[in-house]
Each structure stands twice: as structure tokens, then as C-alpha cells.
Amino acid sequence: MNFDGAFGCRPGSESHSGQVYCCVGMLSVTGHLHHINADQLGWWLCERQLASGGLNGRPEKLPDVCYSWWVLASLKIIDRLHWVDKDKLVQFILACQDEETGGFADRPGDMVDPFHTLFGLAALSLLGDRAVKPVNPVLCMPEEVIRKAGIELQLL
């Protein structure tokens, strides 16, 4: 954990929202979320939202649909999802959708791919879009699958 409350790939390396998700998810699975300063980490994650409404992975980088998942899932796990501007983020995600194919790209106008489509849809689920089944923020799987498997995960 870095001075900013977020996580990098190794001690002292730059914090990155993809790495934050991996660390927060692991702490959730192992029942150790109490080691996180949720307010400090939540602040760092919310600072990833740009004027476009999209989220970036680290300061001074472009927004990308995949970070909609990495950041939102982390915020959901630490109970700070309400700290982002959901309406602006939904607008950004939908602007990245190809209206002909239905898939999502990293940014508006780019080529769609399965990776960004998965994370765009999963982010829309976390934002409350009822057209998408509820997705578990720790495992990125439908909640109904998690319930049927009897898996219990810790959230703050």
C-alpha cells in the first residue's frame, strides 16, 4: 500500500487502479479489508474521474472503459461507489459503444473488443443498469452464479 492509500505492482511503485482492484479483491477474498483506509483509497480512486466522465488508471492518463470496472468495483468493495458522478460515467461508457455491433471500445471512436465490452457491461451493472444482470464486484461474475455456488465474500 502506498502513501496515497492505493497500490502499485511492488512496494513504492506508482499506484494504478488495475492493481488496486487486484489487491482490494484479494483482501476481500481473504477477509482482510480492515487493512485498507477506505476513505483515503476512495479519494484516490474518485480522482481518476475526468471531465469526460470516464476514468483513468493513474494520474495524467486518458480515460478508458476498462477502468470503469477496475475503479468502480474497488469503490463498491470499499463502499464508496457513491463518490463518483455516475451519470457522467454512464455517458462516457455508452459513448464508447459501437451502435452497429453493440460492443465497447476503450474510448469513443476506437475499435470494440471483448475485453472492453465485458468491463463496460460489468461497470454498467455496478452503476445500476437493469438491462445487465447484477455483477459481483470481487469476482466479476453474475451475482446469481455466486449465490448458487454458496460463495460468501467480504465487502466493507
Side-chain angles (χ1 to χ4, degrees):
M1 185 181 319
N2 287 325
F3 69 93
D4 55 16
F7 297 87
C9 290
R10 56 182 182 264
S13 66
E14 181 180 23
S15 294
H16 188 280
S17 59
Q19 189 65 30
V20 167
Y21 171 77
C22 293
C23 292
V24 171
M26 183 277 305
L27 291 169
S28 175
V29 168
T30 61
H32 289 89
L33 279 173
H34 60 278
H35 291 290
I36 292 174
N37 179 331
D39 286 340
Q40 186 180 23
L41 177 57
W43 171 84
W44 187 89
L45 289 165
C46 289
E47 287 292 309
R48 307 285 52 83
Q49 191 162 34
L50 304 173
S52 67
L55 299 160
N56 64 16
R58 52 197 170 113
E60 304 300 322
K61 297 297 179 180
L62 294 173
D64 187 316
V65 163
C66 66
Y67 295 118
S68 301
W69 170 255
W70 306 123
V71 172
L72 287 182
S74 299
L75 287 169
K76 176 76 173 174
I77 294 167
I78 65 169
D79 195 28
R80 301 300 186 276
L81 185 62
H82 57 283
W83 286 10
V84 295
D85 186 330
K86 293 178 183 181
D87 293 334
K88 285 184 75 173
L89 182 53
V90 167
Q91 288 177 346
F92 175 80
I93 294 170
L94 294 178
C96 297
Q97 184 179 27
D98 184 311
E99 292 182 16
E100 292 180 26
T101 66
F104 291 86
D106 58 347
R107 285 182 270 297
D110 287 355
M111 188 66 126
V112 301
D113 63 74
F115 177 83
H116 289 93
T117 299
L118 166 69
F119 291 131
L121 289 170
L124 289 172
S125 171
L126 290 180
L127 292 167
D129 188 319
R130 294 187 181 247
V132 184
K133 289 183 179 183
V135 173
N136 181 279
V138 177
L139 300 178
C140 194
M141 294 173 61
E143 288 285 1
E144 66 186 32
V145 172
I146 305 291
R147 276 192 305 278
K148 286 179 184 175
I151 298 170
E152 293 185 31
L153 299 167
Q154 177 190 6
L155 303 179
L156 285 184

